[in-house]
Every structure is written in C-alpha cells, then in structure tokens.
Amino acid sequence: MNTVTRRELPHPDRFRTAAAAALLTASLALTACTGSTPPPEPSGSSSPGSASTATPNSTSAPAPAPAAEGDIPQLVENLAPSVVTIFTDGGLGSGVVYSEDGLILTNEHVVRGNTRVEVAFADGQRVEGTVRATDPVTDLALVQANRTGLPKPVYQTDLPRVGEGAVVLGSPLGFENTATAGIISGLHRSIPGSASNSLSLVDLIQTDAPISPGNSGGAVINMRGEIIGISEAYIPPSAGAVALGFAIPAATAVEVAEELLADGTAEHAYLGLTPGELTPQIAGQLGIDARTGVVVLAVDDDGPAARAGIRPGDVLESLEGVDLTAPEKLLAELRNRNPGDTVGFKVKRQDQSLDLKADLIARPTSNTR
C-alpha cells in the first residue's frame, strides 16, 4: 500500500486543547447504529431470526395493499418485507432491498471487517450474504443475499421537506422489524467534531424518529412509502441529546450504489489536507485575525492542496464563495464536487489574504481520510 507523505503544522501542542475537544464531541456524535447480539427471548416466544434458513430463489411475496398517504400502519406493512437485519461476527445492523435479485444496501460500518454475513427477512427466513462492495467515505455498502424475488422499494432522490413525516424501519438492539415515527428535523446536517475520525457524517438528513444501535443501514421512509434515507447515526442521550437521528439521503445512497455496482468503487473528490477547528486560541497562536474558518493541520505532499500553494497553518475562509465555518462544512462542500473540478479558496495566512485555486483529483483508493 502506498504511503502518503504529509507536511504537518509544527508544534502540535498548540492544537491539543482543540483536538481533544473535537475528539470528545466526535466520540459522542459517532454513536453508529450498529447493535450487538439480540436480547434473550422470553420463554415460549419465537424470534423471526430463529426461523429455518430459506432456500435460494424464493418466490415473490404478494403485492402489498395500497396505502393512503400518511397511513402509517399500512406503510409499515408494505415496507417491512424490504427491510432486513444483517448479522455479522461483531453484531448486527439493518439493510434495505436494492434490487429484486437479492442486493441489499446497508452501512459500511455494519459489515466492516466481514466478507460473509447472514441476512434475516421480515418473514423469518435467513440466508447467507456476501459483502459485494463498500465505500467508507459515504459509509455505504452492498450485500448480495442468497435470495431472489425481493420487493424493491421506491428510492426518492428528491430531498424531503423539513417538517414532513418520517418513519424509521430497522432492528434497534436486535428487535427486528421495529418501526418508529417522527418528522424530518433538518437537512444538510453535519455532526460537529466528526471530521477528526470520519468523512461520512456530513450532508445528512436529521430526524426526531427514535434511532438506536441496530438501526444502522435501515430505512427512513416518507408518508408515501418511499425511501428517503438510510439510517446512519444518532447522538445519544448521554450527550444531552433528545431524538437526534441522522440518515444518508437516498440520492447519495443511489448514486454510490450504482457506482459500486459498476466497478466496485465510488469516486470522490480529493483535496489532500487535514482540516481542523479554528478556535480563538489557535487564531492567536497563528497570528491571524479570523473568527471563522478551517485551519489546515497537515497537507499531503504533491496533493491538490499542496500544488495550489496551501500550507499547514493556513486558514481556509471560503470555498467558491461558501463560508467554511467548520471542518465538516469543508467535507460537505467537497462531497458535492467531482474529481477534475477546480475550486477557489479564500485563504488567511498571518496578515495576508490569498485567493488560491486547487484542481481536485480522485481520492486514492488507499486513502479513506
């Protein structure tokens, strides 16, 4: 594997306080929704997960009854056959049918480190599954289940509206086929502090429908029964949060899934630097008068940022006119760019204000940061 040489800002102790705060925030925010082993069943009960393994090429289920918009019980009944539970050596998560021939869409962190999984369906059947492709940058993965004739839901690639109803389907804490409901609370959300250890928690849908460990990879649907998001993470009550769940927009999920189907990889724009939070203390240590922006902690040698003249210690104030208020904002803006795009930055360097342009490239396959 190729090693990327990096130029870093001298005296890293200057950033210890800010980095520690960011890591603490990230540790709270990065509670991914992957569950552990399901809880014990009461005596005399039966679990859908304990049903016999299905034979391949199972026949299609009868067509569901049409649901009036907002008829939540019927929406849940219709969508439940399209939502699965994924069991791995390390725990469990959820998934959503992507094609009738057994392709399942889920989170990369649900299947991370596994090539074989087990997929459980709402009718109680369980089959083997093979991890077909993954994309850590967007936290998405495709699993090929050994079953066909599956009901593929409609993926709505238009963003929902804030305030409209939402239903979450998945397997929180191993309770398979669980439905929770709420509204869409926000769009284009990024989880503060997450950039220090993840590229995925940016440009998300926020919902107040309860999400718990095990929901990861499951479905967020609208009141018309369309998939509008793939559950990814939540901020736990221990952090003082109340009903803060986040999902990958269906448009992102579909785009990445199609790229993974084409050649097993998804292409992402790459800038080649490590962003950090700009605090008043860091601004003072750098000798700059800036209240907002993203401080450059390190730059990859011969990467797009280095070739553009960006250096460790620079503060990126804006990208193509969009103010960069946090590292997560930079990552979200880059998510909307393509390799080959040229982007302009407003950069603060001590008492200088610079206009620099970087030519983005495709992210190296060995670099998921």
Side-chain angles (χ1 to χ4, degrees):
M1 182 173 69
N2 295 330
T3 300
V4 177
T5 302
R6 304 176 68 78
R7 289 183 284 137
E8 300 190 2
L9 195 64
H11 307 301
D13 284 350
R14 295 177 180 176
F15 301 97
R16 184 172 296 161
T17 301
L23 285 172
L24 174 60
T25 306
S27 69
L28 297 174
L30 284 170
T31 306
C33 317
T34 305
S36 57
T37 304
E41 292 288 331
S43 175
S45 69
S46 61
S47 166
S50 63
S52 60
T53 301
T55 56
N57 302 318
S58 300
T59 56
S60 300
E69 184 167 336
D71 183 353
I72 293 180
Q74 190 63 56
L75 291 176
V76 172
E77 182 178 333
N78 290 352
L79 267 294
S82 301
V83 181
V84 305
T85 306
I86 297 177
F87 295 92
T88 71
D89 291 339
L92 62 86
S94 304
V96 185
V97 170
Y98 192 71
S99 67
E100 295 179 357
D101 62 356
L103 202 61
I104 306 297
L105 182 62
T106 186
N107 285 148
E108 184 273 339
H109 76 257
V110 168
V111 299
R112 186 176 301 158
N114 293 268
T115 56
R116 300 280 183 177
V117 299
E118 193 170 30
V119 182
F121 293 86
D123 60 6
Q125 297 185 6
R126 293 173 73 150
V127 302
E128 290 185 351
T130 302
V131 178
R132 181 163 171 177
T134 63
D135 180 44
V137 173
T138 54
D139 194 20
L140 290 165
L142 291 175
V143 171
Q144 183 65 58
N146 190 22
R147 185 177 179 182
T148 60
L150 301 179
K152 177 183 178 179
V154 174
Y155 285 79
Q156 175 54 261
T157 54
D158 291 334
L159 284 173
R161 297 174 60 194
V162 174
E164 73 172 273
V167 175
V168 171
L169 298 178
S171 300
L173 299 177
F175 292 100
E176 299 176 45
N177 315 313
T178 293
T180 58
I183 64 168
I184 300 300
S185 305
L187 303 174
H188 304 295
R189 296 298 202 209
S190 297
I191 299 181
S194 64
S196 61
N197 58 5
S198 174
L199 296 174
S200 64
L201 298 179
V202 298
D203 202 19
L204 302 174
I205 295 171
Q206 178 187 336
T207 176
D208 69 347
I211 295 176
S212 303
N215 273 118
S216 268
V220 180
I221 67 175
N222 61 20
M223 294 296 100
R224 297 182 299 279
E226 301 163 332
I227 305 295
I228 55 175
I230 302 296
S231 296
E232 181 176 26
Y234 72 102
I235 300 179
S238 60
V242 177
L244 287 174
F246 300 89
I248 302 165
T252 301
V254 169
E255 179 181 356
V256 171
E258 291 300 317
E259 290 188 46
L260 293 176
L261 279 174
D263 60 8
T265 61
E267 197 171 67
H268 300 286
Y270 180 67
L271 181 58
L273 59 75
T274 301
E277 181 185 1
L278 179 68
T279 65
Q281 293 82 3
I282 291 174
Q285 290 164 351
L286 293 173
I288 61 173
D289 181 18
R291 296 185 178 180
T292 62
V294 174
V295 64
V296 178
L297 300 180
V299 177
D300 295 346
D301 283 346
D302 201 33
R307 291 196 292 270
I310 296 173
R311 305 174 187 172
D314 285 349
V315 173
L316 309 181
E317 296 184 304
S318 66
L319 185 161
E320 291 294 311
V322 177
D323 290 340
L324 300 177
T325 54
E328 293 75 29
K329 182 63 175 177
L330 172 62
L331 297 181
E333 287 301 313
L334 290 175
R335 181 73 62 81
N336 297 320
R337 311 289 170 172
N338 297 310
D341 287 353
T342 298
V343 293
F345 289 93
K346 292 282 187 184
V347 179
K348 192 76 171 179
R349 180 181 298 162
Q350 296 181 337
D351 59 352
Q352 296 179 288
S353 293
L354 307 172
D355 292 310
L356 301 177
K357 291 187 177 294
D359 298 320
L360 303 176
I361 64 173
R363 178 173 297 278
T365 54
S366 61
N367 191 326
T368 59
R369 292 291 306 145

